[in-house]
């Protein structure tokens, strides 16, 4: 069992889905389920009793909403109508610290990970200042995962700084980057 509002972006936990993004459903009896979006079977990455993570199929055309269904050996769920967005950017993060799922590559370059960015150009701000996007594209070996490499402003003070990525006019959830002193 699940509610339409429990179908969310797997990184930001914002309600709704985007084509080609990683999404999560929270509910009950979700162990070993299959997920369909408008009748198209989604790739399930993980499921346990209360959560299932899956890849939203890329649709040929977009509608305002889609019908999501889950099924397991006990039967099929009631359908839930879920909003669809062309993009729904979300950055994965540690809920305890707010730190982005990111690798500090040195030289104030961070490799960040998210989902729901589509193919539109990405812009970034860190510490309220523009950050240079060096790369944005699919992360190797994991469908639906986006890798965004950013270079932080050299004059930004060291410390935990807020980071937001934007694509097609849609901002991601705010996460944090631990910026170190310039070398």
């Amino acid at each position: 069992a699940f509610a339409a509002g429990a179908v969310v972006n797997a990184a930001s936990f914002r309600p709704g889905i985007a084509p080609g993004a990683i999404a999560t459903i929270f509910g009950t009896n979700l162990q070993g389920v299959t997920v369909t979006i408008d009748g198209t079977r989604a790739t399930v990455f993980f499921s346990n009793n209360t959560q299932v993570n899956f890849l939203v199929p890329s649709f040929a055309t977009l509608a305002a909403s889609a019908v999501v269904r889950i099924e397991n050996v006990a039967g099929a769920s009631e359908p839930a109508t879920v909003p669809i967005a062309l993009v729904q950017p979300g950055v994965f993060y540690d809920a305890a610290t707010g730190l982005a799922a990111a690798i500090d590559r040195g030289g104030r370059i961070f490799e960040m990970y998210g989902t729901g960015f589509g193919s539109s150009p990405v812009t970034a701000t860190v510490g309220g200042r523009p950050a240079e996007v060096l790369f944005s594209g699919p992360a190797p070996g994991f469908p639906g995962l986006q890798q965004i490499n950013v270079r932080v402003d050299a004059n930004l003070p060291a410390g935990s700084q807020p980071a937001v990525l934007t694509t097609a006019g849609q901002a991601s959830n705010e996460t944090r980057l631990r910026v170190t002193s310039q070398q």
Side-chain angles (χ1 to χ4, degrees):
F2 70 101
V7 182
V8 298
N9 177 296
S12 69
F13 300 118
R14 291 179 179 158
I17 58 175
I22 302 169
T24 297
I25 298 173
F26 293 106
T28 58
N29 298 322
L30 299 179
Q31 183 72 40
V33 298
T34 59
V35 177
T36 59
I37 313 290
D38 283 342
T40 301
R41 194 173 188 157
T43 300
V44 172
F45 297 126
F46 167 84
S47 70
N48 67 17
N49 192 46
T50 60
Q51 176 180 342
V52 59
N53 296 344
F54 62 98
L55 179 65
V56 178
S58 296
F59 300 102
T61 59
L62 287 176
S65 61
V67 175
V68 176
R69 258 196 131 101
I70 56 175
E71 187 173 340
N72 63 14
V73 293
S77 69
E78 291 296 319
T81 302
V82 176
I84 298 176
L86 179 61
V87 295
Q88 187 190 38
V91 176
F92 290 99
Y93 67 99
D94 178 339
T97 64
L99 290 173
I103 300 169
D104 184 346
R105 293 294 185 188
R108 291 197 159 198
I109 296 172
F110 291 87
E111 186 176 302
M112 301 175 71
Y113 291 94
T115 193
F117 287 86
S119 58
S120 299
V122 175
T123 60
T125 60
V126 178
R129 298 179 187 181
E132 180 184 5
V133 176
L134 303 171
F135 172 80
S136 175
F142 202 102
L145 187 63
Q146 185 97 2
Q147 177 182 327
I148 304 94
N149 298 351
V150 300
R151 183 189 329 259
V152 175
D153 183 324
N155 296 316
L156 189 67
S160 179
Q161 297 287 351
V164 176
L165 303 177
T166 302
T167 187
Q170 300 297 311
S172 72
N173 52 313
E174 182 180 291
T175 59
R176 302 196 73 76
L177 292 175
R178 190 168 287 137
V179 178
T180 57
S181 297
Q182 188 74 343
Q183 301 296 343

